[in-house]
Amino acid sequence: MSSSETKPMLRVLRGETLARPPFWLMRQAGRYLPEYRELRAEAGGFLDLCFNPKLACEVTLQPLRRYGMDAAILFSDILIVPYGLGQKVAFQQGEGPVLEPIRATEELGRISLEGFHKRVEAVYETVERIQASLPPETALIGFAGSPWTVATYMVEGGGSKEYVAVKKWAYGDPEGFQKLIDLLVDSTIEYLDRQVLAGAEILQLFDSWAGVLPEPAFRRWVIAPTQRIVAALKQKHPTVPIIGFPKGAGALYRAYVGEAGIDAVSLDTAMPIDWAVEHLQSKMPVQGNLDPIFLVAGGAMLEAEIDRICDGFSGGPHIFNLGHGVTQTTPPENVDILARRLRA
Ligand code: CP3
Protein backbone atom coordinates (compact mmCIF):
# COMPACT_ATOMS: atom_id res chain seq x y z
CA MET A 1 0.00 0.00 0.00
CA SER A 2 1.38 3.41 -0.82
CA SER A 3 1.71 5.78 2.11
CA SER A 4 -1.00 8.06 0.74
CA GLU A 5 -3.60 5.30 0.97
CA THR A 6 -3.13 5.12 4.72
CA LYS A 7 -4.12 8.77 5.18
CA PRO A 8 -7.79 8.86 6.21
CA MET A 9 -8.34 12.21 4.43
CA LEU A 10 -7.19 10.79 1.10
CA ARG A 11 -9.17 7.58 1.55
CA VAL A 12 -12.39 9.54 2.05
CA LEU A 13 -11.62 11.89 -0.83
CA ARG A 14 -11.27 8.82 -3.07
CA GLY A 15 -14.75 7.75 -2.06
CA GLU A 16 -14.33 5.47 0.95
CA THR A 17 -16.79 5.61 3.82
CA LEU A 18 -14.87 5.35 7.10
CA ALA A 19 -16.41 4.28 10.43
CA ARG A 20 -15.03 7.46 12.03
CA PRO A 21 -14.83 10.51 9.82
CA PRO A 22 -11.44 12.20 9.55
CA PHE A 23 -11.53 15.82 10.68
CA TRP A 24 -9.88 19.21 10.37
CA LEU A 25 -11.30 22.68 10.97
CA MET A 26 -11.37 25.69 8.73
CA ARG A 27 -9.22 28.37 10.38
CA GLN A 28 -7.85 25.76 12.77
CA ALA A 29 -4.75 27.92 13.22
CA GLY A 30 -5.45 31.39 14.54
CA ARG A 31 -6.29 33.81 17.28
CA TYR A 32 -8.27 31.44 19.52
CA LEU A 33 -4.93 29.72 20.32
CA PRO A 34 -2.66 31.51 22.84
CA GLU A 35 0.45 30.08 21.16
CA TYR A 36 -0.71 31.66 17.86
CA ARG A 37 -1.19 35.07 19.46
CA GLU A 38 2.29 34.86 20.93
CA LEU A 39 3.92 34.01 17.62
CA ARG A 40 1.82 36.56 15.77
CA ALA A 41 3.08 39.30 18.10
CA GLU A 42 6.64 38.16 17.48
CA ALA A 43 6.22 38.23 13.69
CA GLY A 44 4.91 41.80 13.56
CA GLY A 45 2.22 42.06 10.88
CA PHE A 46 -0.03 39.28 9.62
CA LEU A 47 1.58 39.39 6.16
CA ASP A 48 5.02 39.14 7.77
CA LEU A 49 3.79 35.96 9.41
CA CYS A 50 2.40 34.57 6.13
CA PHE A 51 5.71 35.27 4.36
CA ASN A 52 7.95 33.81 7.05
CA PRO A 53 8.20 30.08 6.16
CA LYS A 54 9.58 29.06 9.53
CA LEU A 55 6.89 30.83 11.56
CA ALA A 56 4.06 30.04 9.12
CA CYS A 57 5.03 26.36 9.29
CA GLU A 58 5.06 26.51 13.08
CA VAL A 59 1.62 28.16 13.17
CA THR A 60 0.28 25.49 10.79
CA LEU A 61 1.44 22.75 13.15
CA GLN A 62 0.17 24.34 16.40
CA PRO A 63 -3.42 23.03 16.25
CA LEU A 64 -2.20 19.57 15.18
CA ARG A 65 -0.08 19.25 18.29
CA ARG A 66 -3.06 19.99 20.49
CA TYR A 67 -5.79 18.11 18.67
CA GLY A 68 -4.22 15.71 16.13
CA MET A 69 -6.34 16.71 13.15
CA ASP A 70 -6.19 14.47 10.08
CA ALA A 71 -5.13 17.38 7.89
CA ALA A 72 -2.92 20.43 8.16
CA ILE A 73 -3.91 23.46 6.14
CA LEU A 74 -1.20 25.76 4.91
CA PHE A 75 -1.14 28.90 7.04
CA SER A 76 -1.66 31.75 4.60
CA ASP A 77 -4.61 33.82 3.37
CA ILE A 78 -6.78 34.10 0.28
CA LEU A 79 -5.60 37.71 -0.16
CA ILE A 80 -2.04 36.60 -0.91
CA VAL A 81 -3.13 36.28 -4.57
CA PRO A 82 -4.09 39.98 -4.97
CA TYR A 83 -0.86 40.83 -3.16
CA GLY A 84 1.08 38.66 -5.63
CA LEU A 85 -0.63 40.47 -8.51
CA GLY A 86 0.70 43.78 -7.20
CA GLN A 87 -2.35 45.18 -5.40
CA LYS A 88 -1.73 46.93 -2.09
CA VAL A 89 -3.01 44.67 0.71
CA ALA A 90 -2.77 45.41 4.44
CA PHE A 91 -4.14 43.66 7.53
CA GLN A 92 -4.94 46.02 10.35
CA GLN A 93 -5.28 44.48 13.78
CA GLY A 94 -8.94 44.10 14.66
CA GLU A 95 -10.16 45.67 11.41
CA GLY A 96 -9.67 42.97 8.84
CA PRO A 97 -8.05 43.40 5.44
CA VAL A 98 -7.73 46.71 3.60
CA LEU A 99 -6.91 46.81 -0.13
CA GLU A 100 -6.48 49.69 -2.53
CA PRO A 101 -9.68 49.07 -4.50
CA ILE A 102 -9.78 48.32 -8.23
CA ARG A 103 -13.21 49.40 -9.45
CA ALA A 104 -13.17 49.49 -13.25
CA THR A 105 -11.59 47.94 -16.33
CA GLU A 106 -9.26 50.95 -16.81
CA GLU A 107 -7.72 50.26 -13.39
CA LEU A 108 -6.71 46.68 -14.24
CA GLY A 109 -3.34 47.98 -15.48
CA ARG A 110 -2.30 48.23 -11.82
CA ILE A 111 -2.11 44.45 -11.45
CA SER A 112 -0.52 41.64 -13.47
CA LEU A 113 0.87 38.12 -13.32
CA GLU A 114 4.38 39.38 -13.95
CA GLY A 115 6.51 38.83 -10.88
CA PHE A 116 3.69 36.90 -9.13
CA HIS A 117 5.74 33.86 -8.08
CA LYS A 118 8.58 36.03 -6.84
CA ARG A 119 6.23 37.99 -4.61
CA VAL A 120 4.63 34.92 -3.06
CA GLU A 121 7.40 32.33 -3.22
CA ALA A 122 7.83 32.22 0.56
CA VAL A 123 4.44 30.45 0.59
CA TYR A 124 5.84 27.60 -1.52
CA GLU A 125 8.75 27.25 0.89
CA THR A 126 6.25 27.09 3.78
CA VAL A 127 4.45 24.21 2.03
CA GLU A 128 7.75 22.33 1.66
CA ARG A 129 8.57 22.82 5.31
CA ILE A 130 5.16 21.67 6.52
CA GLN A 131 5.25 18.59 4.30
CA ALA A 132 8.65 17.68 5.73
CA SER A 133 7.42 17.89 9.32
CA LEU A 134 3.98 16.25 9.20
CA PRO A 135 3.11 12.95 10.89
CA PRO A 136 2.72 10.22 8.23
CA GLU A 137 -1.07 9.90 8.67
CA THR A 138 -1.70 13.62 8.23
CA ALA A 139 -2.51 15.14 4.84
CA LEU A 140 -1.48 18.63 3.77
CA ILE A 141 -4.11 20.93 2.28
CA GLY A 142 -3.12 23.81 0.02
CA PHE A 143 -5.71 26.46 -0.80
CA ALA A 144 -6.74 29.61 -2.57
CA GLY A 145 -9.81 31.80 -2.63
CA SER A 146 -12.06 31.36 -5.66
CA PRO A 147 -12.01 34.20 -8.19
CA TRP A 148 -15.43 35.62 -7.22
CA THR A 149 -14.65 35.83 -3.49
CA VAL A 150 -11.15 37.23 -4.05
CA ALA A 151 -12.60 39.76 -6.51
CA THR A 152 -15.07 40.99 -3.85
CA TYR A 153 -12.13 42.03 -1.65
CA MET A 154 -10.14 43.47 -4.57
CA VAL A 155 -13.03 45.62 -5.77
CA GLU A 156 -14.62 46.59 -2.43
CA GLY A 157 -11.21 47.24 -0.86
CA GLY A 158 -11.99 44.92 2.05
CA GLY A 159 -14.91 43.04 3.55
CA SER A 160 -18.39 44.09 2.49
CA LYS A 161 -22.03 43.89 3.57
CA GLU A 162 -23.83 44.60 0.30
CA TYR A 163 -21.20 44.06 -2.41
CA VAL A 164 -22.37 47.13 -4.28
CA ALA A 165 -19.10 48.04 -6.02
CA VAL A 166 -18.25 44.52 -7.17
CA LYS A 167 -21.80 43.72 -8.31
CA LYS A 168 -22.12 47.06 -10.06
CA TRP A 169 -19.02 46.21 -12.10
CA ALA A 170 -20.01 42.57 -12.71
CA TYR A 171 -23.59 43.41 -13.72
CA GLY A 172 -22.88 46.70 -15.51
CA ASP A 173 -19.72 45.78 -17.45
CA PRO A 174 -19.47 41.97 -17.51
CA GLU A 175 -16.84 41.95 -20.27
CA GLY A 176 -14.55 44.21 -18.27
CA PHE A 177 -15.15 42.31 -15.02
CA GLN A 178 -14.41 39.08 -16.92
CA LYS A 179 -10.85 40.37 -17.44
CA LEU A 180 -10.35 40.56 -13.67
CA ILE A 181 -11.85 37.09 -13.22
CA ASP A 182 -9.63 35.72 -16.05
CA LEU A 183 -6.53 37.11 -14.36
CA LEU A 184 -7.64 35.49 -11.09
CA VAL A 185 -8.28 32.17 -12.85
CA ASP A 186 -4.78 32.22 -14.38
CA SER A 187 -3.00 33.27 -11.20
CA THR A 188 -4.93 30.78 -9.05
CA ILE A 189 -3.98 27.92 -11.40
CA GLU A 190 -0.31 28.92 -11.22
CA TYR A 191 -0.42 29.43 -7.48
CA LEU A 192 -2.06 26.08 -6.71
CA ASP A 193 0.14 24.23 -9.21
CA ARG A 194 3.18 25.48 -7.29
CA GLN A 195 1.64 24.51 -3.96
CA VAL A 196 1.19 20.94 -5.24
CA LEU A 197 4.75 20.84 -6.57
CA ALA A 198 5.92 21.96 -3.12
CA GLY A 199 3.98 19.18 -1.36
CA ALA A 200 0.27 19.99 -1.02
CA GLU A 201 -1.74 16.73 -1.33
CA ILE A 202 -5.25 18.20 -1.36
CA LEU A 203 -6.51 21.60 -2.55
CA GLN A 204 -9.45 23.62 -1.28
CA LEU A 205 -11.08 26.54 -3.08
CA PHE A 206 -12.77 28.95 -0.65
CA ASP A 207 -15.72 30.75 -2.24
CA SER A 208 -16.93 32.39 0.95
CA TRP A 209 -19.24 34.86 -0.79
CA ALA A 210 -20.65 32.55 -3.47
CA GLY A 211 -24.05 32.88 -1.79
CA VAL A 212 -24.70 36.52 -2.63
CA LEU A 213 -25.30 36.05 -6.37
CA PRO A 214 -28.48 35.28 -8.36
CA GLU A 215 -28.36 32.09 -10.45
CA PRO A 216 -27.06 33.39 -13.81
CA ALA A 217 -24.32 35.40 -12.10
CA PHE A 218 -23.51 32.41 -9.86
CA ARG A 219 -23.04 30.28 -12.96
CA ARG A 220 -20.83 32.83 -14.68
CA TRP A 221 -18.71 34.09 -11.75
CA VAL A 222 -18.66 31.07 -9.43
CA ILE A 223 -19.13 27.85 -11.41
CA ALA A 224 -17.39 28.77 -14.70
CA PRO A 225 -14.12 30.12 -13.20
CA THR A 226 -13.98 27.20 -10.74
CA GLN A 227 -14.45 24.79 -13.64
CA ARG A 228 -11.50 26.34 -15.50
CA ILE A 229 -9.23 26.21 -12.45
CA VAL A 230 -10.15 22.61 -11.66
CA ALA A 231 -9.76 21.46 -15.28
CA ALA A 232 -6.28 23.01 -15.58
CA LEU A 233 -5.12 21.55 -12.27
CA LYS A 234 -6.54 18.13 -13.15
CA GLN A 235 -4.45 18.15 -16.29
CA LYS A 236 -1.28 18.84 -14.32
CA HIS A 237 -2.10 16.80 -11.20
CA PRO A 238 -4.84 14.26 -11.95
CA THR A 239 -4.62 12.54 -8.57
CA VAL A 240 -4.78 15.60 -6.30
CA PRO A 241 -8.33 15.95 -4.91
CA ILE A 242 -9.93 19.39 -5.00
CA ILE A 243 -12.55 20.44 -2.43
CA GLY A 244 -14.91 23.29 -3.34
CA PHE A 245 -16.61 25.50 -0.74
CA PRO A 246 -19.36 27.65 -2.29
CA LYS A 247 -20.55 29.03 1.06
CA GLY A 248 -24.17 30.10 1.19
CA ALA A 249 -25.04 28.75 -2.26
CA GLY A 250 -28.20 27.00 -1.00
CA ALA A 251 -29.97 25.03 -3.72
CA LEU A 252 -27.24 26.09 -6.18
CA TYR A 253 -24.89 23.67 -4.40
CA ARG A 254 -26.41 21.06 -6.72
CA ALA A 255 -25.33 22.83 -9.90
CA TYR A 256 -21.91 23.52 -8.39
CA VAL A 257 -21.39 19.85 -7.48
CA GLY A 258 -22.65 18.71 -10.87
CA GLU A 259 -20.65 21.12 -13.00
CA ALA A 260 -17.57 22.58 -11.32
CA GLY A 261 -15.48 19.40 -11.68
CA ILE A 262 -14.47 19.30 -8.00
CA ASP A 263 -13.89 16.02 -6.14
CA ALA A 264 -15.56 16.91 -2.84
CA VAL A 265 -17.74 19.68 -1.46
CA SER A 266 -17.61 21.59 1.80
CA LEU A 267 -21.01 22.38 3.31
CA ASP A 268 -21.90 25.56 5.15
CA THR A 269 -23.74 25.61 8.47
CA ALA A 270 -27.17 26.28 6.96
CA MET A 271 -27.11 23.20 4.71
CA PRO A 272 -29.74 20.64 5.86
CA ILE A 273 -28.17 17.20 6.26
CA ASP A 274 -31.00 15.20 4.64
CA TRP A 275 -30.95 17.37 1.53
CA ALA A 276 -27.16 17.21 1.32
CA VAL A 277 -27.14 13.43 1.67
CA GLU A 278 -29.70 13.07 -1.12
CA HIS A 279 -28.35 15.60 -3.61
CA LEU A 280 -24.66 16.03 -2.83
CA GLN A 281 -23.19 13.11 -0.88
CA SER A 282 -24.76 10.77 -3.45
CA LYS A 283 -22.43 12.41 -6.00
CA MET A 284 -19.21 13.00 -4.04
CA PRO A 285 -17.63 13.13 -0.56
CA VAL A 286 -18.90 15.92 1.66
CA GLN A 287 -17.18 17.96 4.34
CA GLY A 288 -18.80 19.86 7.20
CA ASN A 289 -20.79 21.34 8.70
CA LEU A 290 -20.82 22.17 12.44
CA ASP A 291 -21.80 25.73 13.26
CA PRO A 292 -18.54 27.19 14.65
CA ILE A 293 -20.53 28.89 17.41
CA PHE A 294 -21.21 25.48 19.00
CA LEU A 295 -17.48 25.52 19.70
CA VAL A 296 -17.92 28.80 21.52
CA ALA A 297 -20.96 27.57 23.46
CA GLY A 298 -19.52 24.14 24.35
CA GLY A 299 -21.35 21.82 26.73
CA ALA A 300 -23.78 18.99 26.06
CA MET A 301 -25.29 20.71 23.01
CA LEU A 302 -21.91 20.67 21.30
CA GLU A 303 -21.62 16.92 21.76
CA ALA A 304 -25.19 16.32 20.60
CA GLU A 305 -24.60 18.42 17.48
CA ILE A 306 -21.38 16.57 16.64
CA ASP A 307 -23.29 13.28 16.90
CA ARG A 308 -26.17 14.57 14.76
CA ILE A 309 -23.76 15.51 11.98
CA CYS A 310 -21.72 12.29 12.17
CA ASP A 311 -24.87 10.14 12.19
CA GLY A 312 -26.46 12.12 9.38
CA PHE A 313 -23.52 11.67 7.03
CA SER A 314 -22.51 8.15 8.17
CA GLY A 315 -23.92 6.45 5.06
CA GLY A 316 -21.27 7.85 2.72
CA PRO A 317 -17.88 9.54 2.49
CA HIS A 318 -17.68 12.37 5.06
CA ILE A 319 -14.95 14.61 6.44
CA PHE A 320 -15.96 16.31 9.66
CA ASN A 321 -15.40 20.08 9.64
CA LEU A 322 -17.14 23.32 10.50
CA GLY A 323 -19.60 25.17 8.30
CA HIS A 324 -17.28 28.19 8.46
CA GLY A 325 -14.01 29.14 10.18
CA VAL A 326 -13.21 28.81 13.90
CA THR A 327 -14.20 32.01 15.71
CA GLN A 328 -11.69 33.98 17.71
CA THR A 329 -13.57 33.64 21.02
CA THR A 330 -13.56 29.81 20.88
CA PRO A 331 -12.27 28.32 24.14
CA PRO A 332 -9.49 25.88 23.13
CA GLU A 333 -10.93 23.28 25.58
CA ASN A 334 -14.05 23.00 23.45
CA VAL A 335 -11.98 21.99 20.43
CA ASP A 336 -10.51 19.31 22.66
CA ILE A 337 -14.03 18.04 23.43
CA LEU A 338 -14.69 17.90 19.68
CA ALA A 339 -11.46 16.03 18.91
CA ARG A 340 -12.12 13.47 21.68
CA ARG A 341 -15.71 12.95 20.59
CA LEU A 342 -14.65 12.28 17.00
CA ARG A 343 -11.98 9.80 18.09
CA ALA A 344 -14.14 7.98 20.65
O1 CP3 B 1 -7.66 27.72 8.02
C1 CP3 B 1 -6.49 27.98 8.40
O2 CP3 B 1 -6.10 27.77 9.57
C2 CP3 B 1 -5.49 28.49 7.38
C3 CP3 B 1 -5.34 29.87 7.27
C4 CP3 B 1 -6.41 30.77 6.67
C5 CP3 B 1 -6.52 32.14 7.05
N1 CP3 B 1 -7.46 32.71 6.25
C6 CP3 B 1 -5.75 32.78 8.11
C7 CP3 B 1 -6.14 34.11 8.63
C8 CP3 B 1 -7.34 30.54 5.65
C9 CP3 B 1 -7.67 29.24 4.92
C10 CP3 B 1 -7.99 31.78 5.39
C11 CP3 B 1 -9.02 31.94 4.35
C12 CP3 B 1 -9.71 33.24 4.23
N2 CP3 B 1 -9.20 34.49 4.43
C13 CP3 B 1 -11.05 33.36 3.78
C14 CP3 B 1 -11.94 32.22 3.34
C15 CP3 B 1 -12.56 31.50 4.47
C16 CP3 B 1 -13.51 32.31 5.25
O3 CP3 B 1 -13.21 32.59 6.42
O4 CP3 B 1 -14.56 32.69 4.67
C17 CP3 B 1 -11.34 34.73 3.76
C18 CP3 B 1 -12.66 35.35 3.36
C19 CP3 B 1 -10.17 35.44 4.16
C20 CP3 B 1 -9.97 36.92 4.22
C21 CP3 B 1 -9.58 37.38 5.56
N3 CP3 B 1 -8.38 37.14 6.17
C22 CP3 B 1 -10.35 38.18 6.44
C23 CP3 B 1 -11.77 38.66 6.17
C24 CP3 B 1 -9.57 38.39 7.58
C25 CP3 B 1 -9.92 39.29 8.74
C26 CP3 B 1 -10.91 38.69 9.65
C27 CP3 B 1 -10.18 37.99 10.73
O5 CP3 B 1 -10.60 36.88 11.10
O6 CP3 B 1 -9.22 38.60 11.23
C28 CP3 B 1 -8.35 37.70 7.41
C29 CP3 B 1 -7.23 37.61 8.36
C30 CP3 B 1 -6.78 36.25 8.77
N4 CP3 B 1 -6.60 35.19 7.93
C31 CP3 B 1 -6.42 35.85 10.08
C32 CP3 B 1 -6.02 34.50 10.02
C33 CP3 B 1 -5.51 33.64 11.12
C34 CP3 B 1 -6.41 36.75 11.32
C35 CP3 B 1 -5.24 37.66 11.20
C36 CP3 B 1 -4.63 38.03 12.52
O7 CP3 B 1 -3.90 37.21 13.10
O8 CP3 B 1 -4.84 39.17 12.93
Side-chain angles (χ1 to χ4, degrees), residues 14-28:
R14 295 194 177 117
E16 268 188 69
T17 303
L18 300 187
R20 287 186 294 186
F23 87 105
W24 67 281
L25 307 176
M26 290 189 266
R27 293 278 190 102
Q28 62 192 22

Side-chain angles (χ1 to χ4, degrees), residues 142-310:
F143 76 92
S146 295
W148 164 254
T149 288
V150 175
T152 67
Y153 288 95
M154 295 177 79
V155 178
E156 300 288 342
S160 179
K161 282 209 172 80
E162 293 185 302
Y163 305 93
V164 176
V166 66
K167 287 185 174 183
K168 186 177 164 216
W169 188 3
Y171 299 165
D173 172 23
E175 266 92 71
F177 186 67
Q178 185 74 55
K179 294 195 172 75
L180 172 59
I181 293 293
D182 289 348
L183 181 59
L184 286 169
V185 166
D186 293 343
S187 46
T188 303
I189 292 166
E190 295 243 352
Y191 183 55
L192 292 176
D193 171 45
R194 292 287 291 267
Q195 288 186 31
V196 172
L197 294 174
E201 302 164 275
I202 297 165
L203 297 172
Q204 177 151 326
L205 287 165
F206 287 88
D207 220 338
S208 306
W209 314 123
V212 304
L213 292 171
E215 181 176 356
F218 180 88
R219 289 183 177 278
R220 180 159 184 182
W221 307 123
V222 172
I223 294 183
T226 304
Q227 229 169 21
R228 287 164 62 198
I229 292 168
V230 172
L233 288 166
K234 287 285 162 196
Q235 224 166 25
K236 293 175 202 273
H237 309 288
T239 63
V240 173
I242 303 176
I243 305 169
F245 181 36
K247 187 164 86 73
L252 287 170
Y253 257 96
R254 271 176 94 170
Y256 183 91
V257 157
E259 297 165 32
I262 48 156
D263 301 283
V265 67
S266 200
L267 309 177
D268 60 57
T269 290
M271 173 63 64
I273 293 179
D274 290 352
W275 192 89
V277 166
E278 184 180 346
H279 297 294
L280 309 177
Q281 198 187 29
S282 55
K283 308 285 194 306
M284 60 177 60
V286 296
Q287 174 176 276
N289 65 343
L290 180 73
D291 185 342
I293 308 309
F294 275 103
L295 280 181
V296 179
M301 293 302 285
L302 167 63
E303 301 202 330
E305 188 63 6
I306 295 165
D307 294 351
R308 186 181 73 89
I309 291 167
C310 289

